[in-house]
Amino acid sequence: MPGHSSHLRSSSFLLIFLVTALLLLVHAFGYARRTDSHFLPTQLSFIVENGISNFNGSVAVPFGRQAQAANSFSPIHHSTRVKRALGEDRQCLVEKGKQYWEKGVLPAFDGKSEFPNPNFGNSETVLEGSGWTSFEELEPLPKWWKDTLKKAKGKVPKSDIRKIILDQSHDFENDFGAQTRTSAQYYGRYIPQNNAVLMYVVRSPRSKVAARQVPQDEIFKQIPRMNQLSDLVWFTWSRVAENPGSLRYYGLEGITNAIVKPLMLEIFQARRGTSDVPWDKRVTFDLSSDEGKALFGSPLGVAVNWLLIHHAGVLGRREPRVTIWNPKNTNNLGDNFCMIWDLIPTKKKGSFGKVEKEPKT
């Protein structure tokens, strides 16, 4: 019977192996069903799973998997979740936001900022010399902003608003010689009636040149001198607003940035337990929180940094707060990640509700 026993043992091992494999397969299938894949595009799923550092060869902080843990949300565990999501993986964004605020914005009011204002001279000349073309047309107020104004008890403009497109469509020269156009685009709605700028297409010269597989340390040689979003926004705002210092709100909609969108997604999951965050469930942070610092130090928060640093003499002292939300299926477009910065003048109140606090454990 030894042969029979050996055969029985082999069959048992095979059976155990098959059952284990089946259980693992079922677990994997169940996990995949729980990952909210219906709102995570393939590209974003790759980023969340593997980290930005492995995506297209770019170098940035790795991302965790908190975005996929929708069913594990609990206010009691919020502090731990935020520490995992922001305190470790996102620490460089938090530190960057902190440095911008402490070493840039705050000292900007006494002229000691570590981030000095670049001298562009005549902005009209620099705009054209940097290959930018400006187009302007009128359009109705976007529904999401109209709804936001109503809920925030703000003034809703009765007339159409200005949509201004900046297109880096011409070849140009910089300090390194003649360069090919980058085809960068900045689309924005400029609404002096609300003291607001709302951007909805942000394709920077740097990102366009990076897409050509140019080495990181060579990109700056192929972009126009006037390339920062903040500089172009300020230039345009100064043209349409009678009082440029009245700028109060800086917003972005349809956010797809490969660093900012996953960051917002994880904040939504940690604070609201879902990615479906309409205006009524919006999340607001000041810069005392890690989330606020991380958003302030992110690629889309940097424009706020530069606006406050470079134009402190006109804007005066401000205390920025950021509100984020995602009115899913707006105009049947699926996700519509939105961010708006309330640049609150000193001694005034914020417009969009109370700042998020750490829940009691």
Side-chain angles (χ1 to χ4, degrees):
M1 300 295 289
H4 178 71
S5 298
S6 175
H7 178 71
L8 185 60
R9 282 196 300 272
S10 298
S11 299
S12 298
F13 288 140
L14 179 61
L15 180 61
I16 292 171
F17 173 80
L18 290 174
V19 170
T20 302
L22 181 61
L23 289 172
L24 289 173
L25 184 62
V26 170
H27 175 75
F29 178 76
Y31 178 80
R33 291 293 298 271
R34 293 196 302 272
T35 57
D36 292 332
S37 57
H38 61 284
F39 68 83
L40 283 176
T42 303
Q43 187 181 69
L44 183 55
S45 298
F46 179 89
I47 294 169
V48 171
E49 283 296 324
N50 298 280
I52 295 295
S53 58
N54 296 326
F55 181 69
N56 282 348
S58 60
V59 179
V61 293
F63 284 79
R65 295 179 174 80
Q66 283 72 24
Q68 299 179 352
N71 296 327
S72 63
F73 173 76
S74 168
I76 295 177
H77 300 300
H78 167 73
S79 296
T80 302
R81 290 173 60 77
V82 170
K83 182 178 180 181
R84 286 206 312 268
L86 299 175
E88 296 172 2
D89 292 349
R90 308 281 195 307
Q91 193 58 39
C92 72
L93 286 180
V94 174
E95 287 300 319
K96 184 182 288 186
K98 182 179 179 182
Q99 287 188 27
Y100 279 136
W101 181 242
E102 294 180 352
K103 297 183 179 181
V105 176
L106 290 179
F109 298 97
D110 58 21
K112 298 179 181 178
S113 171
E114 291 190 10
F115 308 101
N117 188 5
N119 180 17
F120 282 120
N122 186 322
S123 293
E124 287 278 0
T125 302
V126 173
L127 187 70
E128 297 171 1
S130 292
W132 292 97
T133 301
S134 177
F135 304 93
E136 181 176 330
E137 59 187 47
L138 296 177
E139 70 171 22
L141 195 72
K143 183 178 183 301
W144 75 270
W145 180 242
K146 184 183 295 185
D147 293 342
T148 299
L149 287 171
K150 288 179 179 178
K151 292 174 181 177
K153 298 181 179 179
K155 180 181 178 181
V156 178
K158 295 181 180 180
S159 58
D160 287 348
I161 59 172
R162 280 172 151 166
K163 177 177 75 174
I164 298 178
I165 296 172
L166 293 173
D167 190 354
Q168 209 284 310
S169 57
H170 299 290
D171 296 345
F172 59 95
E173 289 191 7
N174 60 16
D175 294 339
F176 302 93
Q179 307 295 334
T180 305
R181 65 182 181 179
T182 66
S183 298
Q185 295 173 315
Y186 292 133
Y187 293 12
R189 302 180 176 103
Y190 294 79
I191 316 173
Q193 305 98 305
N194 297 140
N195 304 322
V197 174
L198 308 176
M199 304 300 297
Y200 63 100
V201 172
V202 176
R203 302 185 182 112
S204 70
R206 182 172 292 274
S207 66
K208 285 289 190 176
V209 172
R212 301 172 182 169
Q213 305 299 317
V214 175
Q216 288 287 328
D217 57 355
E218 294 289 322
I219 290 177
F220 73 98
K221 297 179 180 180
Q222 299 184 28
I223 59 178
R225 188 179 178 207
M226 196 173 190
N227 66 85
Q228 293 286 350
L229 172 60
S230 59
D231 294 322
L232 290 155
V233 164
W234 184 257
F235 170 78
T236 306
W237 172 252
S238 298
R239 279 173 40 208
V240 303
E242 291 184 10
N243 174 20
S246 66
L247 181 62
R248 174 71 183 263
Y249 308 109
Y250 173 76
L252 302 108
E253 66 170 306
I255 293 172
T256 59
N257 181 275
I259 293 177
V260 180
K261 186 173 180 178
L263 172 62
M264 292 174 66
L265 184 61
E266 291 191 5
I267 293 174
F268 289 146
Q269 299 289 4
R271 290 288 184 168
R272 298 293 183 262
T274 176
S275 69
D276 189 358
V277 183
W279 175 256
D280 290 340
K281 295 182 180 179
R282 62 192 178 278
V283 192
T284 298
F285 300 102
D286 60 19
L287 297 190
S288 67
S289 66
D290 279 352
E291 293 101 325
K293 292 188 186 77
L295 291 165
F296 196 57
S298 73
L300 295 183
V302 71
V304 181
N305 299 322
W306 298 142
L307 282 171
L308 294 178
I309 292 170
H310 293 160
H311 308 290
V314 178
L315 292 171
R317 187 68 171 264
R318 302 296 182 99
E319 297 289 335
R321 288 185 185 177
V322 60
T323 296
I324 58 175
W325 71 105
N326 176 27
K328 292 173 71 70
N329 296 318
T330 301
N331 300 324
N332 296 316
L333 294 177
D335 281 330
N336 183 24
F337 280 41
C338 298
M339 171 190 301
I340 190 161
W341 290 88
D342 186 355
L343 309 178
I344 307 169
T346 304
K347 299 181 180 179
K348 288 194 177 183
K349 294 183 179 180
S351 300
F352 303 127
K354 295 182 179 179
V355 173
E356 290 287 312
K357 301 294 184 183
E358 288 291 328
K360 295 181 180 179
T361 57

